[in-house]
Amino acid sequence: MSVQATTAPPIQSSRSAFIVAWAFCLIFYFGQYALRSAPGVMIPELTGTFGLTALGVSALIGLYYYTYSTFSILAGASLDRFGAKSVIPTGILMTALGAVLFGLGSAGGAETGRLFQGAGSAFAFTGAVYLASHGFPAKYLATAIGFTQCFGMLGGSVGQFAVGPLIHGTISWQHFWIFAGLALAVVAVLIWVATPGGHDARPAGPNPLLSMFTPYKTVLTNPQSYLCGFSAGLLFLPTTIGDMIWGVPFLREGLGAGYTDAVNRATMVPLGWVIGCPLLGYLADRIGRRKPVLIGGALVMLASAATVVYLPGVAPPYLLGLLLGIGSGAAMIPYSVIKEVNPDRVKGSATGAINFLVFTFSALLAPAYGWLLNHLSEGGPRTLGIFQQASTAGVAAIVLAIILACFIRETGSAVTSKVPS
C-alpha cells in the first residue's frame, strides 16, 4: 500500500505534464497548418515574384509535402527512440527556419524554405498525438486526436481568411513568413520546458541508426496500416490540394467570385474541419465504432464536393464548403484505427507511418493536378469547365477511399469489448 501511495502522484503529475506539453504542441500544429495553407491566398504574389505558371506554383507549394511525408517516418521513429522533449522542439525550429527562408523573396530560398517547412511540420501532428497518448486515457484518444486536428485546421482557416487581408494591407507577404518563423521559435522553447524528459527513451543498441526504425517493421507489415493510410490519404486530397492550393483560384476564375469572397468561402472548408474533427472523433468514441463514422463522413464529403463543383448555385455557397469540411473530419479516424491495429510500443511509428502514406498522396498529386489544369486549359484561361473536368479526379479519390474503408478492421470499443480475453 505504501508503494502505491508513493508512486501514484508522480504518475498523475507526469500525465498532467504531457497534457500541458500537448497544449503547446497544438500551437505548433496550428502555426504549421497556417503556413501550409497561406500560399493559397498569395498565388498572384508568388507568380509575379518568381515568374511561375500554374504548374510552377503547384510544384513550389507541393515541395512541402515531399519532405512532410518522408520526415513523418523519421518523426515517428525519433519519438519512439528518444521521447518527445528534444525531438518536437527540433521539428519546430526546422519549420521556423523554413518560414524565414521562404520570406527572403528568392526562388531558391522559397524552394529550400518550403522543404524545411514540410520536414519540420512532420513533427507537429505526430508529436501532438504522441503526447496525447501519454497524457489522456485510451478511451478519450479519438476525441483528443480529433481536437488536435480541429486546432490544426483552425490554423488552416486562419492561414486563408486572416493572412489574405494581412498581406494586402498591413505587412508584405515576405514579412509575414519572417514573423511567423520568429513566433515558432518561441513555441519551441515552451515545449522544451514543458515536456517531461527521458520518457520512452531507449538504449541505442548495436546499431543506433537502424534500431530507430525497427518499430516500422511491425507497422508496415500489417496490411491494415496500408488501408488506414490509403483511405485517409485519399480523403485529404480535397483539402490539401482542392481547397488549400486551388480553392481560391477555382472560386475566382471558375465561378467569378471576388478576391475577398473567394478567400472567405475557401476558409469554410478548414473551418468545417474545426467542427468535424472533434465531432466525428467524439461520435466514433461514443458509439464505440469507427467504420460507420468514417464512411458516413466520406459520403458527406462526396455529396458536398460534387455539388460545389458540378452544381454551383444550387445551395448556399458558404454552407457547402462548411459541410465539405465537416465531412472531411472523417479522414482523422484512420489515425485512431492504425494505433489500435498495432501494438502500443509502436504508437509513435504508427502515426509517422500513416502521415507518410497520407501525404505521399499530396506530394505526388499536387504537381499532377497543376499539370492537369495546364493540359486541359492548353495554356489559356482556366474556366469552370476546365476545373470541373480536373475535379473528376478528386471525386474519384473520395469514392476509392470509401471502398477501401469497407475493408478496415473495426477497432471501436463496442466490438473489442466483446472479444474474449
Side-chain angles (χ1 to χ4, degrees):
M1 293 294 292
S2 62
V3 172
Q4 293 177 345
T6 302
T7 58
I11 293 174
Q12 183 58 44
S13 174
S14 176
R15 278 191 176 274
S16 299
F18 275 111
I19 292 175
V20 171
W22 169 77
F24 283 130
C25 200
L26 291 185
I27 300 175
F28 172 33
Y29 194 44
F30 175 95
Q32 68 88 21
Y33 237 118
L35 298 186
R36 186 188 303 186
S37 64
V41 300
M42 55 182 74
I43 285 181
E45 287 77 12
L46 298 178
T47 300
T49 301
F50 304 128
L52 299 174
T53 63
L55 176 59
V57 170
S58 280
L60 172 63
I61 298 174
L63 287 174
Y64 177 101
Y65 296 109
Y66 284 95
T67 47
Y68 187 99
S69 59
T70 53
F71 271 75
S72 292
I73 295 289
L74 180 62
S78 300
L79 288 166
D80 282 338
R81 168 68 177 82
F82 299 109
K85 187 172 181 67
S86 60
V87 171
I88 298 176
T90 299
I92 300 175
L93 292 176
M94 292 173 65
T95 310
L97 175 61
V100 172
L101 288 172
F102 197 89
L104 294 180
S106 69
E111 292 170 352
T112 305
R114 200 63 177 163
L115 290 170
F116 267 99
Q117 290 170 38
S121 295
F123 293 81
F125 183 76
T126 307
V129 171
Y130 181 91
L131 294 170
S133 66
H134 284 81
F136 293 96
K139 63 180 179 179
Y140 298 124
L141 184 59
T143 303
I145 291 176
F147 188 80
T148 299
Q149 187 64 17
C150 151
F151 215 73
M153 293 310 296
L154 183 60
S157 182
V158 168
Q160 292 179 319
F161 82 78
V163 174
L166 188 66
I167 65 171
H168 289 102
T170 306
I171 60 175
S172 68
W173 70 269
Q174 293 98 329
H175 284 146
F176 161 76
W177 291 97
I178 294 172
F179 293 152
L182 296 176
L184 283 173
V186 174
V187 177
V189 175
L190 293 175
I191 291 185
W192 183 80
V193 172
T195 305
H199 196 87
D200 278 5
R202 299 171 184 173
N207 194 326
L209 182 60
L210 292 180
S211 65
M212 283 178 55
F213 298 96
T214 300
Y216 282 107
K217 181 178 180 181
T218 301
V219 178
L220 296 178
T221 54
N222 183 351
Q224 287 290 316
S225 298
Y226 293 95
L227 288 173
C228 291
F230 292 164
S231 179
L234 291 166
L235 292 179
F236 261 88
L237 295 179
T239 54
T240 56
I241 298 176
D243 179 70
M244 290 185 177
I245 298 179
W246 292 106
V248 172
F250 163 72
L251 292 167
R252 295 192 69 191
E253 301 169 31
L255 299 184
Y259 178 80
T260 301
D261 185 47
V263 169
N264 290 338
R265 288 173 62 175
T267 62
M268 289 296 102
V269 177
L271 189 60
W273 272 69
V274 175
I275 301 170
C277 287
L279 176 64
L280 297 184
Y282 170 78
L283 182 59
D285 281 341
R286 185 74 177 83
I287 68 174
R289 293 182 180 274
R290 310 302 195 202
K291 290 177 63 174
V293 181
L294 169 59
I295 295 172
L299 288 172
V300 172
M301 282 185 67
L302 181 62
S304 302
T307 305
V308 167
V309 174
Y310 300 111
L311 298 173
V314 169
Y318 285 81
L319 176 62
L320 286 174
L322 188 66
L323 287 176
L324 174 60
I326 292 173
S328 297
M332 296 312 301
I333 293 177
Y335 278 79
S336 296
V337 177
I338 196 171
K339 295 170 72 63
E340 293 162 342
V341 296
N342 286 289
D344 287 342
R345 68 179 184 277
V346 297
K347 49 185 170 287
S349 297
T351 307
I354 192 171
N355 252 358
F356 170 77
L357 295 171
V358 164
F359 288 100
T360 293
F361 279 90
S362 296
L364 296 176
L365 295 180
Y369 189 79
W371 173 87
L372 181 60
L373 284 173
N374 263 356
H375 174 72
L376 293 173
S377 65
E378 297 180 342
R382 292 186 290 263
T383 63
L384 176 60
I386 297 298
F387 279 107
Q388 287 176 333
Q389 291 180 63
S391 296
T392 303
V395 172
I398 300 174
V399 173
L400 181 56
I402 294 172
I403 295 172
L404 293 176
C406 295
F407 296 94
I408 293 177
R409 192 172 81 223
E410 179 60 71
T411 58
S413 59
V415 174
T416 56
S417 61
K418 297 177 183 178
V419 177
S421 58

